[in-house]
Amino acid sequence: MNNQFVIWGGFSVNNATLNRFFALHFVLPFVLAALALTHLIALHDSAGSNNPLGVSANYDRLPFSPYFIFKDLITIFLFILVLALFVFFMPNILGDSENYVMANPMQTPPAIVPEWYLLPFYAILRSIPNKLLGVIAMFSAILILLTMPFTDLSRSRGIQFRPISKIAFFIFAGNFLILMQLGAKHVESPFIEFGQISTVIYFSYFLILVPLISLIENSTLETNNLEINNLEINNLEVSSLKYTEYSSFLDSVNMYFYNIDLFFNKHPILRYIGYTIVAILSVYMNGLGVEYCDSHELPDPNPVYHHTAAESISIARDEIARNEDGLRSLFEELAYASNPNQASKLEESILEHIASTDSWQKELDELLSAQISEGSNNQN
């Protein structure tokens, strides 16, 4: 009795009850707005927004402002436009005629029809004969959304590349619309049976279909990845073989051009005639294949050049001088650096130049020591 008095404000549903529930409906939108703001803060500080492709967004992030603010504003304006169409042009299309009957606390209406956005959950409530179980099922229809991070076992986020999940989702959406229609019907056969079947389908989607389809798609994805990897390996082997053959062909053509330049250096007309002949033959040989080029010994496309001792000493001295010039300019930039981050980067570059200079100086000392020892050996 005390609980009824606290909720009803009396021994039956009266004006105090209506006022309390009206105040609850007035406060709830502000609570939802606070929760939405908390959600945005948590989304901004932790994971970030998802994307339709379902791939990780940790490598290519966008700032929340202005991109996502503008995106959300477009959605909000479209929602307000549709809402305005219903409010100003079709205010009664989603309502029920029973709403215009004067409320009588002593008489229950023959057919209770809630607002259209509550009809699917009302259909789930009355599909179960037991009142307590019906209320539990109605609230579970909303709370079951919290199980999606645990029941969705797919390796790919989103359903952009998951055709079976798309089909299951559209079946779920159609079943939800059927529940919405059944919630507006009278509690009689066959609407009761259809409501029970739709309720089972609703909960089966989250608890059975989503994990089962995820496992099937994961196995299909692994099979496709294995086939793609094998195909890529085969294509890579074929392409590398073709690249090797084509590189040998180009090397042979370059060698022919070099020989023409060498023999006909003082005869430009003969040189141009040779260029033309080699070009025609190269096009013809490329069309037939590269077997002719493979049958000839070609020079190494990546020859290794061994420097003499004098050349190595000259290269080391040039590198030391270049590093010293770089250090001088870096110290000048560091003296005028105003940003701490810029100064730290300049200090790192200075340390790298000093390490490089020390390395080249060590190599130069070794080369000079080797040259001195070699000269003393020759004198002996």
Side-chain angles (χ1 to χ4, degrees):
M1 182 64 68
N2 292 331
N3 293 332
Q4 291 182 353
F5 190 82
V6 170
I7 297 174
W8 288 350
F11 296 99
S12 64
V13 177
N14 51 27
N15 289 332
T17 310
L18 297 178
N19 290 333
R20 291 179 182 183
F21 277 90
F22 179 79
L24 178 65
H25 281 73
F26 181 80
V27 173
L28 278 179
F30 296 100
V31 175
L32 292 176
L35 291 176
L37 182 61
T38 308
H39 168 71
L40 289 177
I41 294 173
L43 187 69
H44 179 72
D45 291 339
S46 59
S49 297
N50 203 346
N51 55 78
L53 295 180
V55 297
S56 176
N58 294 329
Y59 311 106
D60 189 12
R61 290 186 177 274
L62 292 175
F64 188 81
S65 175
Y67 298 102
F68 289 100
I69 288 181
F70 185 75
K71 170 179 171 293
D72 294 339
L73 283 177
I74 292 176
T75 308
I76 291 171
F77 287 147
L78 290 176
F79 176 79
I80 292 176
L81 177 62
V82 175
L83 179 64
L85 289 176
F86 279 100
V87 170
F88 295 112
F89 296 99
M90 299 175 288
N92 296 319
I93 192 171
L94 297 176
D96 191 81
S97 58
E98 294 288 338
N99 292 331
Y100 290 97
V101 177
M102 186 67 67
N104 186 0
M106 303 304 296
Q107 181 181 0
T108 303
I112 300 175
V113 180
E115 293 294 331
W116 61 273
Y117 47 84
L118 298 176
L119 289 176
F121 308 102
Y122 179 63
I124 293 174
L125 169 67
R126 70 184 194 182
S127 296
I128 300 176
N130 188 284
K131 290 183 179 181
L132 178 61
L133 294 180
V135 173
I136 293 174
M138 181 182 66
F139 284 104
S140 298
I142 301 174
L143 297 177
I144 199 170
L145 294 172
L146 301 176
T147 64
M148 283 297 290
F150 306 100
T151 58
D152 187 6
L153 306 175
S154 177
R155 296 180 181 177
S156 174
R157 299 293 91 185
I159 60 173
Q160 182 70 20
F161 305 108
R162 297 161 57 189
I164 305 178
S165 295
K166 285 184 179 180
I167 296 172
F169 173 75
F170 286 122
I171 292 174
F172 169 77
N175 181 69
F176 192 79
L177 295 176
I178 291 173
L179 282 172
M180 184 181 294
Q181 287 292 326
L182 293 173
K185 302 297 182 181
H186 291 283
V187 186
E188 58 186 12
S189 183
F191 302 123
I192 298 175
E193 291 79 6
F194 284 151
Q196 292 172 348
I197 294 172
S198 296
T199 301
V200 172
I201 294 174
Y202 182 90
F203 287 101
S204 299
Y205 174 78
F206 295 99
L207 300 177
I208 299 175
L209 289 180
V210 170
L212 182 62
I213 292 174
S214 300
L215 294 176
I216 294 174
E217 289 176 336
N218 286 341
S219 61
T220 307
L221 182 63
E222 291 176 357
T223 305
N224 291 336
N225 287 338
L226 183 60
E227 294 177 355
I228 290 172
N229 291 333
N230 293 333
L231 182 62
E232 287 180 351
I233 291 172
N234 295 332
N235 291 337
L236 182 61
E237 292 176 353
V238 173
S239 61
S240 61
L241 179 61
K242 291 182 179 179
Y243 178 76
T244 304
E245 294 175 350
Y246 191 68
S247 299
S248 301
F249 171 72
L250 291 179
D251 291 337
S252 63
V253 173
N254 291 331
M255 183 179 64
Y256 295 145
F257 279 120
Y258 176 75
N259 291 331
I260 291 172
D261 286 335
L262 185 63
F263 289 110
F264 302 107
N265 189 19
K266 297 181 180 180
H267 303 282
I269 296 177
L270 295 177
R271 189 167 68 247
Y272 292 146
I273 292 172
Y275 287 163
T276 306
I277 294 172
V278 171
I280 294 172
L281 290 177
S282 64
V283 172
Y284 178 72
M285 289 162 58
N286 191 21
L288 294 178
V290 293
E291 291 82 2
Y292 178 79
C293 297
D294 291 337
S295 63
H296 290 74
E297 294 184 0
L298 300 174
D300 188 4
N302 298 313
V304 179
Y305 297 99
H306 298 282
H307 298 287
T308 62
E311 291 176 346
S312 300
I313 291 172
S314 177
I315 291 172
R317 286 174 176 172
D318 291 339
E319 291 294 334
I320 292 172
R322 188 178 297 109
N323 285 328
E324 289 177 351
D325 293 338
L327 282 171
R328 193 178 297 110
S329 61
L330 287 173
F331 277 117
E332 292 177 356
E333 292 181 6
L334 183 61
Y336 295 100
S338 58
N339 190 356
N341 294 330
Q342 182 182 2
S344 62
K345 291 181 180 179
L346 289 173
E347 290 174 355
E348 292 177 359
S349 299
I350 288 172
L351 293 177
E352 291 176 359
H353 277 72
I354 292 174
S356 178
T357 304
D358 294 340
S359 176
W360 281 108
Q361 185 65 46
K362 183 178 179 181
E363 185 175 352
L364 178 61
D365 295 339
E366 292 177 355
L367 290 171
L368 291 175
S369 301
Q371 189 178 27
I372 292 171
S373 62
E374 184 179 358
S376 61
N377 292 332
N378 291 333
Q379 288 178 0
N380 296 329

